[in-house]
Amino acid sequence: MSHIREDDLISSIADALQYISYYHPPDYIRALSAAYEAEESPAAKSAMAQILINSRLCAEGHRPICQDTGIVIAFFKVGMALRWETNRSLQELVDEGVRRAYTHPDNILRASIVDPPIGARRNTGDNTPAIVHTELVPGDKLEVRLAAKGGGSENKSRFAILNPSASVVDWVLEQVPSMGAGWCPPGILGLGIGGSAEKAMQMAKAALAEPIDIHELRARGPANAIEEMRLELFEKVNALGIGAQGLGGLTTVLDVQIKTFPTHAASLPVALIPNCAATRHCHFTLDGSGPAQLEPPALDSWPKIAWDPAAGARRVDLNRITREQIASWQPGERLLLSGKLLTGRDAAHKRIVDLLNRGEPLPEGVDLSNRFLYYVGPVDPVREEVVGPAGPTTATRMDRFTDQILEQTGLIGMIGKAERGPAAIDAIRRHRAVYLIAIGGAAYLVSKAIKSSRLVAFEDLGMEAIREFEVEDMPVTVAVDSRGVSVHETGPQQWRSRIAEIPIKVE
């Protein structure tokens, strides 16, 4: 009979969360490397190159793959014969592991959990509590699957109860385009089919931790209806042409995983949850012999990529930028930014708009006239860093503030990830501003371009405070130009047409 000691579980969880913060699963690296080699869209290929280079840098430097280090999800299979050597609840043990991992001084992880979920929404400071799912199973072992799920992909989750005769494939193909690029493709789609509403969502989340094996499945052929559906969805979702970061290309998903459960005769619950380019999960088993031992992947698992950020890119001096200059930028054009920019996310935007509505001045140092604003909540720095990993957040959350801020502050440019909505695009066009994207899933690589950082306003907002970054050759892409043309519309349209003309090869 296994005796599970509390510190074995706590230390295993803490070590595993640190591990997945900087090591991609090897199957993800293999799948993304193959997609990179096959990609024909220059914009998508550049995006995947940055994700792969960032991944290796994080593996070498033991720093987070993404600045959004996620909400912790824990799946436990608890052997009914095991014994616990603890007086604490499983939730308390998991939360202690999370607390140790996210406050580790050598690799601080960003705390993103707020409580209560409505109202004050105060950050808990240590990323607790985790979401814990438990299943009692035969045996005396403790099986653990851990994931750290970013908000950008989690926010794109979908659920419906379809008529039993409805097509799940058709429903998924309706949902994926509406998800935009905020989930940072290329990634994995997890589907839960059957059960009840909550069961379907739980299965979809659990499916994301399954090994990426779609190419093996294509090679051997499907053995049942679910495998047939996986293959059909893999082909048809990629045929949408959404591509890496929504820029248009051959690969939108690296795999589609499906879990099922019997359901009521009158129902067909279906849940869809995507995993982003910062795919983070691991699996270990405790048997009473001590904490989990996690072996680092070999660095030769990562491909050697020759990516020159300056090739074909226009250099931009942010300290001397004018509306006349940005008017010449084209959708899809790559830029290297140098100079000073300000940062600000949801909470900072809300405070800025509240001040504007009251006719009060913005805080000292928050002069947005002819400036660029970067939507980012960075990880705290360690050692010699001036800032931790600092990738972009999903820009559509700022859409409702965009028109007023552009009109009343003189802001001329924004940097984030994913597409903008129609109202924001219209505001960009009317105010002759621009919207640029940095690559989601390349946070550590982006941070290398940040040479200094100073707090400017709203210190109490933590990672959402306004800072001034000085950057040097920060790589970005023009996503919406001053005429309101969006690469997230033109790119997928172009590649959807091209893919339709490419014969699909079934291996």
Side-chain angles (χ1 to χ4, degrees):
M1 180 185 297
S2 296
H3 289 245
I4 306 300
R5 293 179 291 273
E6 70 170 43
D7 201 60
D8 286 349
L9 178 57
I10 290 170
S11 62
S12 296
I13 288 171
D15 290 348
L17 291 173
Q18 279 284 310
Y19 182 97
I20 65 176
S21 78
Y22 44 74
Y23 290 138
H24 264 126
D27 61 341
Y28 179 86
I29 294 300
R30 288 193 296 270
L32 185 59
S33 298
Y36 167 79
E37 293 296 334
E39 187 56 66
E40 297 177 16
S41 162
K45 197 173 185 75
S46 176
M48 285 192 276
Q50 292 180 62
I51 294 169
L52 286 165
I53 292 169
N54 177 79
S55 179
R56 181 174 181 125
L57 288 173
C58 293
E60 293 172 336
H62 287 193
R63 291 296 274 143
I65 294 165
C66 180
Q67 80 289 337
D68 182 350
T69 50
I71 183 171
V72 175
I73 316 292
F75 289 91
F76 287 92
K77 289 187 176 181
V78 183
M80 295 175 68
L82 68 75
R83 296 289 300 271
W84 292 96
E85 294 186 3
T86 180
N87 293 319
R88 292 198 268 185
S89 70
L90 184 57
Q91 181 75 53
E92 290 173 322
L93 296 175
V94 174
D95 287 346
E96 180 58 30
V98 172
R99 188 173 295 112
R100 290 188 190 179
Y102 278 71
T103 58
H104 195 293
D106 290 334
N107 183 40
I108 298 170
L109 306 180
R110 198 184 80 184
S112 300
I113 304 306
V114 295
D115 183 36
I118 58 173
R121 290 176 63 88
R122 296 184 186 89
N123 196 302
T124 62
D126 56 13
N127 219 56
T128 63
I131 308 298
V132 178
H133 301 286
T134 307
E135 179 184 359
L136 295 176
V137 299
D140 64 351
K141 305 294 190 295
L142 181 65
E143 292 185 36
V144 185
R145 284 186 182 267
L146 279 181
K149 191 70 162 57
S153 59
E154 190 73 357
N155 291 350
K156 302 301 182 179
S157 302
R158 299 287 189 269
F159 173 77
I161 296 183
L162 305 179
N163 289 326
S165 61
S167 166
V168 172
V169 170
D170 288 349
W171 180 79
V172 172
L173 294 176
E174 290 173 2
Q175 301 309 309
V176 173
S178 73
M179 288 157 50
W183 61 283
C184 281
I188 299 100
L189 297 183
L191 277 172
I193 304 174
S196 55
E198 79 281 3
K199 180 66 173 180
M201 293 299 287
Q202 184 178 341
M203 289 190 296
K205 182 64 64 64
L208 294 173
E210 293 298 316
I212 297 174
D213 64 352
I214 196 73
H215 293 292
E216 290 87 342
L217 176 56
R218 292 179 71 186
R220 66 171 169 80
N224 52 52
I226 293 302
E227 290 186 346
E228 289 177 2
M229 184 182 294
R230 286 181 61 198
L231 288 172
E232 183 179 2
L233 282 170
F234 178 76
E235 299 289 359
K236 290 183 174 179
V237 169
N238 282 328
L240 295 171
I242 294 167
Q245 304 291 300
L247 295 169
L250 298 177
T251 300
T252 303
V253 291
L254 299 173
D255 204 342
V256 178
Q257 291 287 354
I258 301 174
K259 287 185 176 293
T260 67
F261 196 85
T263 192
H264 192 284
S267 302
L268 181 56
V270 184
L272 170 63
I273 303 179
N275 235 3
C276 64
T279 292
R280 292 168 296 218
H281 60 81
C282 72
H283 179 204
F284 59 85
T285 299
L286 299 183
D287 59 6
S289 61
Q293 302 297 315
L294 302 172
E295 293 296 326
L299 286 178
D300 59 10
S301 302
W302 280 263
K304 292 182 171 61
I305 294 176
W307 176 71
D308 181 2
R314 184 196 305 223
R315 281 194 158 87
V316 174
D317 183 352
L318 292 172
N319 298 333
R320 293 182 173 84
I321 197 71
T322 65
R323 289 189 187 274
E324 290 69 32
Q325 287 176 312
I326 67 175
S328 67
W329 298 353
Q330 302 297 313
E333 182 177 3
R334 292 191 301 111
L335 310 174
L336 293 175
L337 306 181
S338 295
K340 294 180 178 179
L341 53 78
L342 295 173
T343 74
R345 289 169 37 116
D346 316 51
H349 276 69
K350 178 66 165 57
R351 287 200 183 174
I352 288 171
V353 166
D354 287 345
L355 290 171
L356 294 174
N357 289 340
R358 294 196 299 265
E360 298 177 12
L362 299 183
E364 184 179 351
V366 186
D367 180 2
L368 298 177
S369 181
N370 287 327
R371 300 292 298 274
F372 274 67
L373 191 60
Y374 183 24
Y375 303 152
V376 62
V379 176
D380 288 342
V382 298
R383 298 181 289 278
E384 73 284 355
E385 295 175 346
V386 298
V387 68
T393 197
T394 306
T396 46
R397 299 201 311 273
M398 270 52 74
D399 281 5
R400 70 190 186 100
F401 306 111
T402 298
D403 186 39
Q404 184 175 2
I405 288 179
L406 289 177
E407 181 174 347
Q408 294 185 235
T409 69
L411 184 74
I412 63 172
M414 299 149 285
I415 307 166
K417 74 170 183 180
E419 72 285 348
R420 305 306 298 263
I425 291 174
D426 184 60
I428 290 168
R429 177 189 58 78
R430 286 187 289 102
H431 297 291
R432 296 186 300 119
V434 291
Y435 167 60
L436 316 175
I437 58 167
I439 299 303
Y444 194 39
L445 178 63
V446 171
S447 72
K448 299 294 187 182
I450 302 169
K451 303 307 177 184
S452 69
S453 171
R454 70 179 182 91
L455 183 69
V456 173
F458 309 146
E459 181 176 8
D460 62 299
L461 295 181
M463 60 97 172
E464 295 211 51
I466 295 180
R467 294 172 173 81
E468 183 179 70
F469 286 169
E470 183 157 6
V471 300
E472 182 179 319
D473 286 348
M474 176 180 173
V476 295
T477 299
V478 179
V480 180
D481 71 4
S482 60
R483 298 162 295 163
V485 179
S486 170
V487 74
H488 287 107
E489 295 176 2
T490 59
Q493 287 172 0
Q494 173 192 355
W495 282 91
R496 199 155 42 241
S497 298
R498 289 190 60 175
I499 291 169
E501 299 173 357
I502 300 173
I504 294 175
K505 298 178 181 178
V506 179
E507 298 174 0

